[in-house]
Amino acid sequence: MWNPKRETMKREELEKMQFLRLKQTLESVYQLVPHYRKKFQEKGVEPGDIRSLEDIASLPFTIKDDLRDNYPYGLFATPMDEVVRIHSSSGTTGIPTVVGYTRGDLEVWSEIMARTLAAAGGNHESVIHIAYGYGLFTGGLGVHYGAEKIGGTVVPISGGHSKRQIRMMKDLGTTLLACTPSYALQLAETIEEMGVDHRDLQLKSGVFGAEPWSENMRRVLEEKLPIDALDIYGLSEIIGPGVSYECMAKDGLHINEDHFLPELIDPQTGEVLPDGSTGELVITTLSKETLPVIRYRTRDITTLKREKCSCGRTHVRMDKVSGRSDDMLIIRGVNVFPSQVESILLNMGKTEPHYLLVVDRKGNLDTLEVWVEVSEEMFSDKIRGMEELERLIHEEINSILGVSAEIKLVEPKTIERSQGKAQRVIDKRKQ
Ligand code: DLL
């Protein structure tokens, strides 16, 4: 454990710390950020009205559009001469969101990433291969600073050139891999293609995140690489990677609660949900200086668990994110997350782990096609075998998700591979 004092804090002590930090954050945004003062006044609340952690429910939410509307620096609570780093998420809708960090913010980020990497078995002897994109995306540099903090040997390779990645991993004795799960899969396939023997690699674990991935994908990655595959979650608006991380118990991601206050809400009504429910994660930052964020609606769907974890860490855990509420597909009224389809396909184990969902509307009816790759042998096999497999997958999806999908088995390597976040859905209804 990187910081046992913090990671195993008693609940009472932790909540005291959270409350003090929350008060400071609220005072600071109220004094320094006109957007927040206005929003608080509209709701008729002042920082002084918040007398317990639960009172936070009376504060207004913050959404991505608030960052866009205040582009680029409107929500910053520090003068620009204290801002030492900018990151940005491009988004698909035009105006990017810009986030800023003081030296103190970078220190917090390194600390939580150090916890993340240590939980994945990283230490000063680790050789840490960072294949998340470097640049304005928070993945590369976020992991990088944490990896230096634990004293590991950092290989800042960024994404792409998979064969070179494998050669470097072999030659440099990489022990820990950091990239998106879809790119980890691509690297696993490159290892197979190059005929590299796993015994020539020193790889022990991986921290995979930035996109949803199922338990069944964990099984595939752990078998193919073979390593411990751990989940890491975060978002640029809050800080970047490291908001929460998995330990070796692999039973949920510990949220760094000394820096982030989580809530779970009903995405439709905005009501706070009781523990154990599934809903949208909302986060308030407790120590951010440049960009403190109050009740940020992440759109990510998860569940919070407060039971003790076998690792000894006391921070609350969130389940693997099943998807974003805005990525949820509604097919003829049925809600479908791409990760649910992934889980079904990988559980059946009869196809390759590459898939794409194509959604369209014919007349008034939504249609869902599931494209999935099959092995070379299967593809060149008799048509009957293919038809039988399509029927089986169709039935499985229908019985588990309640939606009728047309299954298209495609040749190996037909579906585009990703170096960063994979695109799992083409929704023609939106084009
Ligand atoms: O993806 C930060 C990050 C980098 C996290 C590297 C983990 C590793 P953004 O580009 O702002 O930041 O995207 C944030 O990605 O709201 C989720 O929808 C999704 N996401 C991130 N991590 C996970 C995960 C980075 N482990 C958005 N599981 C978030 C599921 C994830 N979704």
Side-chain angles (χ1 to χ4, degrees):
M1 220 180 277
W2 174 252
N3 188 344
K5 202 165 149 249
R6 281 295 182 81
E7 290 172 81
T8 64
M9 266 174 112
K10 290 211 172 64
R11 181 95 334 236
E12 218 182 80
E13 215 185 316
L14 179 65
E15 288 183 0
K16 233 187 240 163
M17 176 189 237
Q18 288 181 315
F19 185 64
L20 282 177
R21 291 183 163 188
L22 174 66
K23 292 293 277 183
Q24 274 167 4
T25 303
L26 294 177
E27 289 295 345
S28 132
V29 297
Y30 197 76
Q31 303 296 333
L32 302 168
V33 187
H35 166 87
Y36 281 111
R37 192 172 328 129
K38 185 163 160 272
K39 294 265 295 255
F40 282 26
Q41 283 167 350
E42 279 167 11
K43 266 210 129 188
V45 279
E46 284 181 9
D49 298 332
I50 306 303
R51 297 201 183 82
S52 69
L53 287 173
E54 290 72 45
D55 285 349
I56 196 179
S58 61
L59 295 172
F61 291 117
T62 304
I63 56 171
K64 204 179 181 91
D65 276 347
D66 292 324
L67 275 92
R68 293 209 180 99
D69 295 345
N70 290 282
Y71 176 84
Y73 301 141
L75 296 184
F76 284 16
T78 52
M80 284 309 287
D81 66 349
E82 289 176 26
V83 178
V84 297
R85 176 91 69 78
I86 291 291
H87 281 282
S88 166
S89 72
S90 54
T92 42
T93 46
I95 303 181
T97 50
V98 163
V99 298
Y101 304 76
T102 59
R103 260 182 225 293
D105 291 331
L106 290 185
E107 187 42 51
V108 168
W109 197 9
S110 311
E111 158 73 21
I112 58 177
M113 276 310 307
R115 293 180 194 174
T116 304
L117 294 168
N123 58 34
H124 62 280
E125 291 175 341
S126 306
V127 178
I128 304 174
H129 187 98
I130 303 175
Y132 284 113
Y134 276 69
L136 286 172
F137 175 55
T138 51
L141 281 166
V143 181
H144 186 109
Y145 274 57
E148 282 189 353
K149 191 167 178 87
I150 63 169
T153 305
V154 182
V155 187
I157 194 159
S158 203
H161 305 286
S162 305
K163 284 195 175 141
R164 187 177 64 138
Q165 301 245 1
I166 304 303
R167 271 198 300 276
M168 294 285 272
M169 287 195 338
K170 184 163 162 257
D171 296 346
L172 302 178
T174 296
T175 55
L176 202 158
L177 169 65
C179 61
T180 59
S182 52
Y183 194 54
L185 186 61
Q186 155 90 4
L187 289 176
E189 287 181 351
T190 311
I191 292 174
E192 278 166 25
E193 265 169 42
M194 289 169 76
V196 171
D197 189 327
H198 287 290
R199 280 166 298 194
D200 293 336
L201 295 170
Q202 315 290 317
L203 213 50
K204 293 189 179 62
S205 56
V207 288
F208 305 133
E211 63 185 9
W213 55 301
S214 61
E215 274 306 325
N216 285 329
M217 183 62 91
R218 184 195 323 262
R219 202 173 33 74
V220 169
L221 290 173
E222 293 199 332
E223 259 168 40
K224 278 186 183 275
L225 279 167
I227 54 164
D228 282 301
L230 301 166
D231 201 349
I232 156 177
Y233 167 84
L235 56 166
S236 23
E237 292 83 354
I238 297 300
I239 200 160
V243 170
S244 64
Y245 59 97
E246 258 182 343
C247 60
M248 287 293 178
K250 299 177 191 168
D251 187 18
L253 294 84
H254 291 280
I255 300 179
N256 281 296
E257 275 190 286
D258 46 344
H259 298 290
F260 311 109
L261 184 65
E263 299 170 87
L264 209 73
I265 62 160
D266 178 325
Q268 257 80 49
T269 64
E271 289 299 312
V272 176
L273 295 171
D275 283 350
S277 332
T278 299
E280 176 182 339
L281 181 67
V282 168
I283 298 176
T284 299
T285 64
L286 297 174
S287 55
K288 282 284 284 304
E289 293 175 336
T290 292
L291 189 63
V293 192
I294 309 301
R295 304 195 84 203
Y296 187 72
R297 291 192 59 163
T298 65
R299 305 277 166 198
D300 294 321
I301 303 297
T302 185
T303 305
L304 295 179
K305 298 198 268 209
R306 300 202 185 263
E307 309 87 71
K308 224 175 155 176
C309 179
S310 58
C311 73
R313 289 178 183 82
T314 51
H315 292 184
V316 66
R317 281 168 292 158
M318 55 188 261
D319 273 345
K320 275 172 111 27
V321 168
S322 49
R324 295 177 57 77
S325 55
D326 35 15
D327 283 351
M328 187 179 77
L329 297 167
I330 305 183
I331 313 285
R332 297 189 290 275
V334 181
N335 299 348
V336 177
F337 280 114
S339 62
Q340 292 175 305
V341 176
E342 169 180 304
S343 199
I344 293 171
L345 293 172
L346 299 193
N347 195 36
M348 291 179 74
K350 294 181 189 304
T351 59
E352 298 295 305
H354 297 282
Y355 65 96
L356 180 71
L357 310 189
V358 183
V359 186
D360 204 351
R361 179 166 285 143
K362 302 220 165 87
N364 282 325
L365 267 194
D366 300 319
T367 58
L368 171 65
E369 276 177 17
V370 176
W371 296 22
V372 53
E373 288 184 9
V374 287
S375 65
E376 203 77 65
E377 306 93 75
M378 169 64 103
F379 198 78
S380 47
D381 197 12
K382 292 187 205 79
I383 298 213
R384 282 257 320 263
M386 298 264 286
E387 282 175 351
E388 176 63 10
L389 183 55
E390 284 175 351
R391 194 186 57 74
L392 277 178
I393 299 175
H394 173 93
E395 272 179 13
E396 194 72 2
I397 291 181
N398 201 356
S399 79
I400 296 176
L401 301 180
V403 67
S404 162
E406 188 183 334
I407 312 301
K408 280 199 166 170
L409 299 181
V410 297
E411 266 182 277
K413 311 262 176 312
T414 317
I415 295 171
E416 200 184 337
R417 301 296 191 257
S418 90
Q419 295 173 6
K421 298 182 190 242
Q423 195 194 1
R424 303 288 194 198
V425 179
I426 298 178
D427 195 339
K428 295 185 174 165
R429 298 175 301 186
K430 292 184 180 158
Q431 288 165 3

